[in-house]
Amino acid sequence: VPFEHASMFNNLTLRTRILALPAVAAIGFVLTLAVTVGFGRRAQQQQKLVEASYSPSLAHSQRLEGSLDAFQRALQDAVGASDAAAVANADSLVTAFNASLDSLRQLPVNPAADIAAIATFWTEYTGLAKRTTLAMIGGDISMEAMQAMRTGAAEMKTRLKDRTQME
């Protein structure tokens, strides 16, 4: 069967063969142009997604890590200074963390379940950390509570670091 097509080409006149060459080249050019335009549009869409979603998501994830570190430092300073009011002042850091979580929820590249899991763990961790810090300031040093707080802090840090690395 392939030889039939070859013989068809051989049956063409020289003039027809010469005129066919630019037509084949034009078809190749149009095909190349169409593929290039298609890939260009796709790249442009991906770039917009990176600019509008992935990049802000990464920035918010990094902000979450910074807020966690600041919250932990604030509680450590409160214990060091034996200042229960400083624990209440750390609530502004909790609010900033929650605001970043809300911003992450608005971006389409973040699965809602992932953000909800971080928010739930954050709420549990901050409650435990504040209770434990206030108890330590009051002189009640519970090794179990301190260990739970350390474990919660390490888990929170790991979750946030993993999230930032994914982005």
Side-chain angles (χ1 to χ4, degrees), residues 131-146:
R131 284 191 308 275
T132 303
T133 301
L134 289 172
M136 290 170 66
I137 291 171
D140 180 20
I141 300 174
S142 165
M143 289 301 174
E144 294 84 21
M146 286 178 57

Side-chain angles (χ1 to χ4, degrees), residues 10-81:
N10 287 335
N11 291 337
L12 295 176
T13 65
L14 180 61
R15 176 186 158 101
T16 308
R17 286 185 204 172
I18 291 174
L19 290 176
L21 290 176
V24 170
I27 290 170
F29 171 74
V30 169
L31 182 62
T32 303
L33 183 63
V35 168
T36 302
V37 168
F39 281 137
R41 284 187 180 156
R42 183 169 180 214
Q44 190 175 29
Q45 290 170 344
Q46 289 174 338
Q47 182 180 1
K48 284 180 183 179
L49 186 63
V50 166
E51 290 173 356
S53 294
Y54 284 108
S55 183
S57 182
L58 176 61
H60 286 301
S61 293
Q62 290 170 337
R63 228 175 272 129
L64 290 176
E65 287 186 51
S67 294
L68 173 63
D69 290 339
F71 178 74
Q72 290 171 334
R73 276 192 307 276
L75 295 184
Q76 289 168 354
D77 292 347
V79 170

Side-chain angles (χ1 to χ4, degrees), residues 66-133:
S67 294
L68 173 63
D69 290 339
F71 178 74
Q72 290 171 334
R73 276 192 307 276
L75 295 184
Q76 289 168 354
D77 292 347
V79 170
S82 295
D83 184 6
V87 176
N89 292 339
D91 283 342
S92 65
L93 298 169
V94 173
T95 302
F97 190 97
N98 290 336
S100 287
L101 280 177
D102 289 340
S103 295
L104 282 173
R105 281 187 187 98
Q106 303 304 317
L107 299 172
V109 295
N110 296 311
D114 291 355
I115 303 302
I118 290 172
T120 300
F121 194 82
W122 169 249
T123 301
E124 293 169 4
Y125 166 70
T126 55
L128 172 66
K130 290 194 302 190
R131 284 191 308 275
T132 303
T133 301

